[in-house]
Amino acid sequence: NKKAFVELLFWKSPTAVRELTEGYGSLQEGEGAARSRVAPWTPQEEQELRELYWKYKEVEGEDIVAAILAHLSAPGRTRRQVVKQLVRM
């Protein structure tokens, strides 16, 4: 590709670099960036998160996010996902 040098001018993720070097469309479905996507928060999960936050935010000496994770009904959520969602809300 004669215009590949233009691709070098912009920041690339490891997935994009792999596609660039191996050819576009070389990644199978379920690999790379598509694999790392997390399930969106449902309105019920957001409401539960909001309630748990208000319940545990006043507790002294306790990690709020750890308490929320311990009582969150949706399995598989990470600490980072909970913090990101709290900030977004």
Side-chain angles (χ1 to χ4, degrees):
N1 187 355
K2 295 179 182 181
K3 297 181 181 178
F5 67 92
V6 175
E7 293 281 357
L8 298 174
L9 298 175
F10 302 98
W11 182 259
K12 301 287 183 231
S13 67
T15 305
V17 171
R18 184 172 169 198
E19 276 197 329
L20 215 150
T21 57
E22 295 179 10
Y24 292 103
S26 63
L27 292 179
Q28 299 297 320
E29 188 171 325
E31 288 185 30
R35 180 178 46 118
S36 66
R37 290 200 180 113
V38 296
W41 288 77
T42 64
Q44 294 82 12
E45 289 176 329
E46 287 183 359
Q47 182 62 32
E48 180 185 13
L49 184 62
R50 190 176 289 111
E51 290 170 3
L52 288 170
Y53 173 76
W54 286 106
K55 180 178 178 181
Y56 292 109
K57 79 173 197 144
E58 298 296 328
V59 177
E60 286 291 322
E62 188 175 337
D63 184 14
I64 297 171
V65 178
I68 290 172
L69 280 171
H71 295 92
L72 198 60
S73 65
R77 294 289 183 186
T78 64
R79 181 178 180 90
R80 174 176 272 170
Q81 291 171 346
V82 170
V83 170
K84 188 175 180 178
Q85 185 65 19
L86 284 170
V87 168
R88 192 186 69 74
M89 291 177 10

